[in-house]
Amino acid sequence: MQTLKLDASHYMTAPGFAFDCMLKHTNVQLERLKQYDFQLFLENGLRGGICHSVKRHVKANIPNIENINYDSNKPITWLTYLDCVNLYGKSMLFALPLKNFEWFNDLSIDITRIENYAEYGYILEVDVIYPNRLHQYHSDFPFLPENKCPPNSKVKKLLTTLESKFNYVVHYRNLKQAIANGLKVKKVHRILRFSQSKWMAPYIELCTNMRVKARNEFERQFWKSLVNSVFGICMENVRKRMLMTLVSTKRGLRDCGSCRYLGETDHENEKCHKDKVKFRKLPQECSAYIYDGFIFDKNFEFVPKNSEEDFGNTRFIFVPSSIHITL
């Protein structure tokens, strides 16, 4: 309350409190999406985070280490565990969409020449070819993951595949990274242009500095949550929201019966406290902040480039949704 000048006791959830803190501290005016097509276009680019095991069993080969059977006939190999912290915070320090959303008509634009911090940013719907010559070098961690059903499954998963992508919605900075590593853009279908800036950076830097100065674990987790929750709000699927009312009297139940979103009511033994009222999902307007779920993280520029030696071998990866357009 002393730092952000807001009282958390007036909020139902931490994400709601965190988002208001961000808006108050940055004094930013985010533009609502003016067309429903923008909403559908951006939703196609939200994919989630990556967690997969590339190889299920690996064994280190290191001399003079207890409990390791060193084989001098084999090269020395190490197992390294890397844990990067504050990934959401680092991602939100970059230029983020802000306003002036519009369809861009020049589909021949060369996005490789657009700076990461240019005045305007772009989100594209493209067909991308994944050349066969890159499959061996990118097999540990392919570019441009997509939501699709695995073989013999009806449930969609976020898959990292070496297949070519069609009608793939991607932020221009992610596409630049893929092109720089050998992928080819075959066709551009649509481009959404917007003004961008590092408008969230002051809030992220404040929370990060307060986290460093924290005197106990509660304060550290609190300031961490204020950063992560803002990203969560931008990624929220508002279509899953529901209108729900708790009732304790028969009159209250009758009042709910006139609600247009009432789904079904179960009566058990005529006891009102056991009445169950289920509501259908509410029709939602366009989410005002979904476009800030498109976050690009430069922490992952170490991906393979021209040969296996450039990257080594990846065995297990867990990354939040900031690594690929996932929002």
Side-chain angles (χ1 to χ4, degrees):
M1 188 171 181
Q2 294 178 352
T3 305
L4 297 169
K5 310 301 181 184
L6 287 178
D7 188 353
S9 64
H10 292 285
Y11 291 84
M12 294 291 293
T13 63
F17 172 69
F19 201 81
D20 275 3
C21 288
M22 182 275 294
L23 293 176
K24 184 177 186 300
H25 186 76
T26 59
N27 198 31
V28 67
Q29 297 293 326
L30 297 176
E31 179 182 300
R32 280 190 172 273
L33 298 175
K34 299 176 181 178
Q35 297 184 30
Y36 192 57
D37 285 348
F38 293 168
Q39 172 83 7
L40 298 177
F41 182 77
L42 294 172
E43 284 181 350
N44 288 333
L46 299 183
R47 300 186 176 91
I50 301 170
C51 179
H52 70 152
S53 178
V54 179
K55 189 173 183 179
R56 299 188 179 186
H57 180 265
V58 290
K59 186 176 180 181
N61 189 40
I62 311 171
N64 304 321
I65 299 295
E66 186 178 357
N67 298 325
I68 291 184
N69 296 324
Y70 174 65
D71 188 348
S72 59
N73 296 323
K74 296 181 179 179
I76 297 176
T77 56
W78 297 76
L79 303 182
T80 303
Y81 177 81
L82 302 177
D83 184 11
C84 300
V85 299
N86 200 23
L87 292 179
Y88 289 120
K90 178 64 181 302
S91 299
M92 291 185 285
L93 288 174
F94 293 98
L96 301 177
L98 179 59
K99 58 183 179 179
N100 299 327
F101 292 88
E102 61 181 1
W103 294 116
F104 190 64
N105 295 324
D106 185 7
L107 301 183
S108 62
I109 184 174
D110 185 0
I111 58 99
T112 60
R113 297 185 177 182
I114 302 174
E115 298 294 332
N116 292 339
Y117 297 102
E119 179 182 0
Y120 289 97
Y122 303 85
I123 295 174
L124 305 91
E125 181 181 352
V126 294
D127 294 343
V128 180
I129 304 301
Y130 219 126
N132 292 333
R133 61 181 177 81
L134 301 176
H135 290 187
Q136 177 183 355
Y137 305 129
H138 293 189
S139 59
D140 284 350
F141 200 5
F143 291 90
L144 307 182
E146 60 181 336
N147 286 312
K148 60 188 301 185
C149 294
N152 302 319
S153 175
K154 296 181 180 179
V155 180
K156 285 188 176 182
K157 302 286 186 178
L158 182 60
L159 306 179
T160 54
T161 70
L162 295 167
E163 300 175 352
S164 297
K165 321 296 180 183
F166 300 96
N167 297 101
Y168 190 87
V169 179
V170 59
H171 194 283
Y172 81 99
R173 293 203 295 265
N174 289 82
L175 187 58
K176 282 174 59 178
Q177 185 190 47
I179 293 174
N181 286 274
L183 279 70
K184 306 295 183 182
V185 176
K186 181 180 180 180
K187 183 178 180 180
V188 179
H189 297 278
R190 289 185 295 175
I191 300 178
L192 180 64
R193 189 176 74 164
F194 50 84
S195 298
Q196 63 178 6
S197 69
K198 297 193 291 183
W199 55 266
M200 201 185 295
Y203 173 77
I204 300 301
E205 292 171 351
L206 171 67
C207 292
T208 302
N209 292 334
M210 295 301 295
R211 182 179 175 184
V212 172
K213 297 176 182 178
R215 295 166 293 181
N216 52 61
E217 185 62 21
F218 171 79
E219 291 184 357
R220 282 190 290 271
Q221 292 299 322
F222 174 77
W223 291 107
K224 176 183 177 180
S225 176
L226 288 188
V227 172
N228 295 350
S229 296
V230 171
F231 180 81
I233 287 289
C234 297
M235 289 284 293
E236 180 187 9
N237 184 358
V238 297
R239 299 181 188 276
K240 293 184 178 181
R241 289 181 180 175
M242 299 184 71
L243 175 63
M244 183 172 61
T245 303
L246 300 178
V247 297
S248 59
T249 64
K250 289 185 177 181
R251 180 178 178 180
L253 183 61
R254 288 195 299 269
D255 293 340
C256 289
S258 62
C259 177
R260 57 182 294 208
Y261 303 120
L262 182 63
E264 60 181 89
T265 304
D266 298 331
H267 297 273
E268 299 179 3
N269 302 324
E270 298 299 327
K271 293 182 179 180
C272 191
H273 66 277
K274 288 188 177 180
D275 287 336
K276 300 176 182 178
V277 182
K278 300 178 181 179
F279 293 91
R280 299 191 185 101
K281 294 180 180 179
L282 283 166
Q284 297 293 333
E285 297 179 357
C286 294
S287 174
Y289 318 113
I290 189 174
Y291 47 79
D292 285 317
F294 281 77
I295 294 181
F296 175 86
D297 197 336
K298 296 288 285 186
N299 290 327
F300 297 94
E301 280 289 0
F302 62 82
V303 288
K305 293 188 176 180
N306 299 316
S307 67
E308 195 173 71
E309 289 75 21
D310 289 340
F311 186 55
N313 292 302
T314 305
R315 301 309 179 199
F316 181 84
I317 294 175
F318 170 77
V319 205
S321 45
S322 58
I323 182 166
H324 284 288
I325 290 301
T326 54
L327 324 355

